PDB file of all heavy atoms in Angstrom:
ATOM      1  N   GLU A  71      62.285 103.844  -7.908  1.00 97.00           N
ATOM      2  CA  GLU A  71      62.762 103.517  -6.569  1.00 97.00           C
ATOM      3  C   GLU A  71      61.985 104.297  -5.517  1.00 97.00           C
ATOM      4  O   GLU A  71      61.650 103.765  -4.443  1.00 97.00           O
ATOM      5  CB  GLU A  71      64.251 103.820  -6.447  1.00 97.00           C
ATOM      6  CG  GLU A  71      65.138 102.871  -7.227  1.00 97.00           C
ATOM      7  CD  GLU A  71      66.595 103.308  -7.188  1.00 97.00           C
ATOM      8  OE1 GLU A  71      66.893 104.411  -7.700  1.00 97.00           O
ATOM      9  OE2 GLU A  71      67.414 102.551  -6.634  1.00 97.00           O
ATOM     10  N   ALA A  72      61.679 105.566  -5.806  1.00 97.00           N
ATOM     11  CA  ALA A  72      60.897 106.372  -4.869  1.00 97.00           C
ATOM     12  C   ALA A  72      59.522 105.763  -4.648  1.00 97.00           C
ATOM     13  O   ALA A  72      59.030 105.690  -3.506  1.00 97.00           O
ATOM     14  CB  ALA A  72      60.769 107.801  -5.378  1.00 97.00           C
ATOM     15  N   ASP A  73      58.879 105.309  -5.715  1.00 96.00           N
ATOM     16  CA  ASP A  73      57.557 104.700  -5.588  1.00 96.00           C
ATOM     17  C   ASP A  73      57.618 103.421  -4.763  1.00 96.00           C
ATOM     18  O   ASP A  73      56.724 103.139  -3.958  1.00 96.00           O
ATOM     19  CB  ASP A  73      56.980 104.402  -6.969  1.00 96.00           C
ATOM     20  CG  ASP A  73      56.575 105.664  -7.723  1.00 96.00           C
ATOM     21  OD1 ASP A  73      56.480 106.735  -7.082  1.00 96.00           O
ATOM     22  OD2 ASP A  73      56.372 105.578  -8.954  1.00 96.00           O
ATOM     23  N   THR A  74      58.670 102.641  -4.959  1.00 97.00           N
ATOM     24  CA  THR A  74      58.833 101.417  -4.173  1.00 97.00           C
ATOM     25  C   THR A  74      59.027 101.746  -2.699  1.00 97.00           C
ATOM     26  O   THR A  74      58.406 101.142  -1.813  1.00 97.00           O
ATOM     27  CB  THR A  74      60.032 100.608  -4.681  1.00 97.00           C
ATOM     28  OG1 THR A  74      59.788 100.205  -6.030  1.00 97.00           O
ATOM     29  CG2 THR A  74      60.269  99.363  -3.838  1.00 97.00           C
ATOM     30  N   LEU A  75      59.870 102.721  -2.419  1.00 97.00           N
ATOM     31  CA  LEU A  75      60.169 103.086  -1.041  1.00 97.00           C
ATOM     32  C   LEU A  75      58.965 103.714  -0.350  1.00 97.00           C
ATOM     33  O   LEU A  75      58.843 103.654   0.878  1.00 97.00           O
ATOM     34  CB  LEU A  75      61.357 104.045  -1.004  1.00 97.00           C
ATOM     35  CG  LEU A  75      61.976 104.305   0.371  1.00 97.00           C
ATOM     36  CD1 LEU A  75      62.447 103.012   1.018  1.00 97.00           C
ATOM     37  CD2 LEU A  75      63.134 105.283   0.244  1.00 97.00           C
ATOM     38  N   LEU A  76      58.044 104.260  -1.117  1.00 96.00           N
ATOM     39  CA  LEU A  76      56.843 104.842  -0.540  1.00 96.00           C
ATOM     40  C   LEU A  76      56.002 103.785   0.175  1.00 96.00           C
ATOM     41  O   LEU A  76      55.203 104.112   1.056  1.00 96.00           O
ATOM     42  CB  LEU A  76      56.024 105.540  -1.626  1.00 96.00           C
ATOM     43  CG  LEU A  76      54.962 106.552  -1.160  1.00 96.00           C
ATOM     44  CD1 LEU A  76      55.599 107.677  -0.344  1.00 96.00           C
ATOM     45  CD2 LEU A  76      54.213 107.102  -2.352  1.00 96.00           C
ATOM     46  N   ARG A  77      56.183 102.506  -0.170  1.00 97.00           N
ATOM     47  CA  ARG A  77      55.479 101.442   0.539  1.00 97.00           C
ATOM     48  C   ARG A  77      55.876 101.408   2.015  1.00 97.00           C
ATOM     49  O   ARG A  77      55.111 100.952   2.863  1.00 97.00           O
ATOM     50  CB  ARG A  77      55.787 100.089  -0.101  1.00 97.00           C
ATOM     51  CG  ARG A  77      55.335  99.964  -1.543  1.00 97.00           C
ATOM     52  CD  ARG A  77      55.804  98.652  -2.152  1.00 97.00           C
ATOM     53  NE  ARG A  77      55.592  98.634  -3.595  1.00 97.00           N
ATOM     54  CZ  ARG A  77      56.054  97.685  -4.408  1.00 97.00           C
ATOM     55  NH1 ARG A  77      56.744  96.661  -3.896  1.00 97.00           N
ATOM     56  NH2 ARG A  77      55.825  97.747  -5.696  1.00 97.00           N
ATOM     57  N   ILE A  78      57.068 101.912   2.298  1.00 97.00           N
ATOM     58  CA  ILE A  78      57.506 102.053   3.688  1.00 97.00           C
ATOM     59  C   ILE A  78      57.131 103.429   4.224  1.00 97.00           C
ATOM     60  O   ILE A  78      56.514 103.549   5.290  1.00 97.00           O
ATOM     61  CB  ILE A  78      59.032 101.838   3.807  1.00 97.00           C
ATOM     62  CG1 ILE A  78      59.399 100.391   3.477  1.00 97.00           C
ATOM     63  CG2 ILE A  78      59.519 102.215   5.206  1.00 97.00           C
ATOM     64  CD1 ILE A  78      60.893 100.138   3.432  1.00 97.00           C
ATOM     65  N   ALA A  79      57.480 104.468   3.497  1.00 97.00           N
ATOM     66  CA  ALA A  79      57.340 105.834   4.007  1.00 97.00           C
ATOM     67  C   ALA A  79      55.897 106.225   4.269  1.00 97.00           C
ATOM     68  O   ALA A  79      55.627 107.039   5.159  1.00 97.00           O
ATOM     69  CB  ALA A  79      57.974 106.815   3.024  1.00 97.00           C
ATOM     70  N   ALA A  80      54.953 105.681   3.528  1.00 96.00           N
ATOM     71  CA  ALA A  80      53.554 106.065   3.664  1.00 96.00           C
ATOM     72  C   ALA A  80      52.843 105.361   4.813  1.00 96.00           C
ATOM     73  O   ALA A  80      51.664 105.621   5.069  1.00 96.00           O
ATOM     74  CB  ALA A  80      52.806 105.796   2.369  1.00 96.00           C
ATOM     75  N   GLN A  81      53.554 104.469   5.514  1.00 97.00           N
ATOM     76  CA  GLN A  81      52.965 103.758   6.639  1.00 97.00           C
ATOM     77  C   GLN A  81      53.480 104.320   7.963  1.00 97.00           C
ATOM     78  O   GLN A  81      54.621 104.776   8.042  1.00 97.00           O
ATOM     79  CB  GLN A  81      53.300 102.266   6.550  1.00 97.00           C
ATOM     80  CG  GLN A  81      52.687 101.559   5.360  1.00 97.00           C
ATOM     81  CD  GLN A  81      51.169 101.623   5.374  1.00 97.00           C
ATOM     82  OE1 GLN A  81      50.542 101.485   6.418  1.00 97.00           O
ATOM     83  NE2 GLN A  81      50.582 101.852   4.201  1.00 97.00           N
ATOM     84  N   PRO A  82      52.667 104.294   9.013  1.00 97.00           N
ATOM     85  CA  PRO A  82      53.124 104.794  10.310  1.00 97.00           C
ATOM     86  C   PRO A  82      54.178 103.879  10.917  1.00 97.00           C
ATOM     87  O   PRO A  82      54.036 102.652  10.895  1.00 97.00           O
ATOM     88  CB  PRO A  82      51.848 104.802  11.156  1.00 97.00           C
ATOM     89  CG  PRO A  82      50.933 103.834  10.506  1.00 97.00           C
ATOM     90  CD  PRO A  82      51.264 103.861   9.044  1.00 97.00           C
ATOM     91  N   SER A  83      55.237 104.464  11.425  1.00 97.00           N
ATOM     92  CA  SER A  83      56.268 103.698  12.115  1.00 97.00           C
ATOM     93  C   SER A  83      56.625 104.420  13.402  1.00 97.00           C
ATOM     94  O   SER A  83      56.295 105.596  13.594  1.00 97.00           O
ATOM     95  CB  SER A  83      57.514 103.520  11.232  1.00 97.00           C
ATOM     96  OG  SER A  83      58.045 104.773  10.842  1.00 97.00           O
ATOM     97  N   ALA A  84      57.297 103.709  14.295  1.00 98.00           N
ATOM     98  CA  ALA A  84      57.561 104.250  15.623  1.00 98.00           C
ATOM     99  C   ALA A  84      58.693 105.263  15.614  1.00 98.00           C
ATOM    100  O   ALA A  84      59.652 105.142  14.847  1.00 98.00           O
ATOM    101  CB  ALA A  84      57.900 103.112  16.587  1.00 98.00           C
ATOM    102  N   GLN A  85      58.578 106.232  16.489  1.00 98.00           N
ATOM    103  CA  GLN A  85      59.654 107.184  16.741  1.00 98.00           C
ATOM    104  C   GLN A  85      60.439 106.707  17.958  1.00 98.00           C
ATOM    105  O   GLN A  85      59.904 106.610  19.054  1.00 98.00           O
ATOM    106  CB  GLN A  85      59.083 108.566  17.012  1.00 98.00           C
ATOM    107  CG  GLN A  85      60.122 109.593  17.440  1.00 98.00           C
ATOM    108  CD  GLN A  85      61.079 109.961  16.321  1.00 98.00           C
ATOM    109  OE1 GLN A  85      60.659 110.432  15.274  1.00 98.00           O
ATOM    110  NE2 GLN A  85      62.364 109.740  16.555  1.00 98.00           N
ATOM    111  N   TRP A  86      61.716 106.384  17.763  1.00 97.00           N
ATOM    112  CA  TRP A  86      62.547 105.902  18.858  1.00 97.00           C
ATOM    113  C   TRP A  86      63.104 107.083  19.644  1.00 97.00           C
ATOM    114  O   TRP A  86      63.523 108.096  19.071  1.00 97.00           O
ATOM    115  CB  TRP A  86      63.682 105.035  18.315  1.00 97.00           C
ATOM    116  CG  TRP A  86      63.205 103.702  17.806  1.00 97.00           C
ATOM    117  CD1 TRP A  86      62.334 103.481  16.782  1.00 97.00           C
ATOM    118  CD2 TRP A  86      63.570 102.416  18.303  1.00 97.00           C
ATOM    119  NE1 TRP A  86      62.135 102.136  16.609  1.00 97.00           N
ATOM    120  CE2 TRP A  86      62.882 101.455  17.533  1.00 97.00           C
ATOM    121  CE3 TRP A  86      64.418 101.987  19.329  1.00 97.00           C
ATOM    122  CZ2 TRP A  86      63.010 100.081  17.758  1.00 97.00           C
ATOM    123  CZ3 TRP A  86      64.553 100.616  19.548  1.00 97.00           C
ATOM    124  CH2 TRP A  86      63.850  99.684  18.778  1.00 97.00           C
ATOM    125  N   LEU A  87      63.111 106.917  20.951  1.00 97.00           N
ATOM    126  CA  LEU A  87      63.619 107.939  21.863  1.00 97.00           C
ATOM    127  C   LEU A  87      64.815 107.368  22.620  1.00 97.00           C
ATOM    128  O   LEU A  87      64.683 106.372  23.334  1.00 97.00           O
ATOM    129  CB  LEU A  87      62.530 108.355  22.860  1.00 97.00           C
ATOM    130  CG  LEU A  87      61.225 108.879  22.256  1.00 97.00           C
ATOM    131  CD1 LEU A  87      60.185 109.074  23.343  1.00 97.00           C
ATOM    132  CD2 LEU A  87      61.467 110.175  21.489  1.00 97.00           C
ATOM    133  N   GLY A  88      65.978 107.999  22.426  1.00 94.00           N
ATOM    134  CA  GLY A  88      67.196 107.555  23.092  1.00 94.00           C
ATOM    135  C   GLY A  88      67.775 108.628  23.977  1.00 94.00           C
ATOM    136  O   GLY A  88      67.056 109.471  24.528  1.00 94.00           O
ATOM    137  N   GLU A  89      69.095 108.639  24.069  1.00 89.00           N
ATOM    138  CA  GLU A  89      69.760 109.553  25.000  1.00 89.00           C
ATOM    139  C   GLU A  89      69.546 111.017  24.664  1.00 89.00           C
ATOM    140  O   GLU A  89      69.393 111.859  25.549  1.00 89.00           O
ATOM    141  CB  GLU A  89      71.274 109.283  25.028  1.00 89.00           C
ATOM    142  CG  GLU A  89      71.682 107.923  25.562  1.00 89.00           C
ATOM    143  CD  GLU A  89      71.883 106.903  24.457  1.00 89.00           C
ATOM    144  OE1 GLU A  89      71.067 106.888  23.507  1.00 89.00           O
ATOM    145  OE2 GLU A  89      72.845 106.129  24.537  1.00 89.00           O
ATOM    146  N   GLN A  90      69.560 111.351  23.382  1.00 91.00           N
ATOM    147  CA  GLN A  90      69.611 112.749  22.968  1.00 91.00           C
ATOM    148  C   GLN A  90      68.238 113.285  22.561  1.00 91.00           C
ATOM    149  O   GLN A  90      67.560 112.701  21.721  1.00 91.00           O
ATOM    150  CB  GLN A  90      70.589 112.905  21.792  1.00 91.00           C
ATOM    151  CG  GLN A  90      72.002 112.422  22.077  1.00 91.00           C
ATOM    152  CD  GLN A  90      72.657 113.192  23.214  1.00 91.00           C
ATOM    153  OE1 GLN A  90      72.496 114.416  23.317  1.00 91.00           O
ATOM    154  NE2 GLN A  90      73.381 112.498  24.068  1.00 91.00           N
ATOM    155  N   GLY A  91      67.849 114.396  23.163  1.00 96.00           N
ATOM    156  CA  GLY A  91      66.685 115.143  22.701  1.00 96.00           C
ATOM    157  C   GLY A  91      65.350 114.458  22.847  1.00 96.00           C
ATOM    158  O   GLY A  91      64.386 114.840  22.179  1.00 96.00           O
ATOM    159  N   ALA A  92      65.241 113.465  23.728  1.00 97.00           N
ATOM    160  CA  ALA A  92      64.014 112.669  23.792  1.00 97.00           C
ATOM    161  C   ALA A  92      62.803 113.509  24.148  1.00 97.00           C
ATOM    162  O   ALA A  92      61.726 113.358  23.551  1.00 97.00           O
ATOM    163  CB  ALA A  92      64.186 111.533  24.789  1.00 97.00           C
ATOM    164  N   ARG A  93      62.954 114.387  25.109  1.00 97.00           N
ATOM    165  CA  ARG A  93      61.812 115.185  25.546  1.00 97.00           C
ATOM    166  C   ARG A  93      61.308 116.073  24.412  1.00 97.00           C
ATOM    167  O   ARG A  93      60.086 116.137  24.156  1.00 97.00           O
ATOM    168  CB  ARG A  93      62.203 116.033  26.751  1.00 97.00           C
ATOM    169  CG  ARG A  93      61.065 116.879  27.292  1.00 97.00           C
ATOM    170  CD  ARG A  93      61.427 117.527  28.616  1.00 97.00           C
ATOM    171  NE  ARG A  93      60.298 118.257  29.163  1.00 97.00           N
ATOM    172  CZ  ARG A  93      60.077 118.422  30.452  1.00 97.00           C
ATOM    173  NH1 ARG A  93      60.909 117.904  31.333  1.00 97.00           N
ATOM    174  NH2 ARG A  93      59.029 119.111  30.870  1.00 97.00           N
TER     175      ARG A  93
END
Side-chain angles (χ1 to χ4, degrees):
E71 289 174 297
D73 289 345
T74 297
L75 192 58
L76 198 59
R77 298 174 191 172
I78 294 174
Q81 295 300 320
S83 58
Q85 173 69 59
W86 289 62
L87 303 172
E89 295 95 319
Q90 303 299 320
R93 181 171 184 149

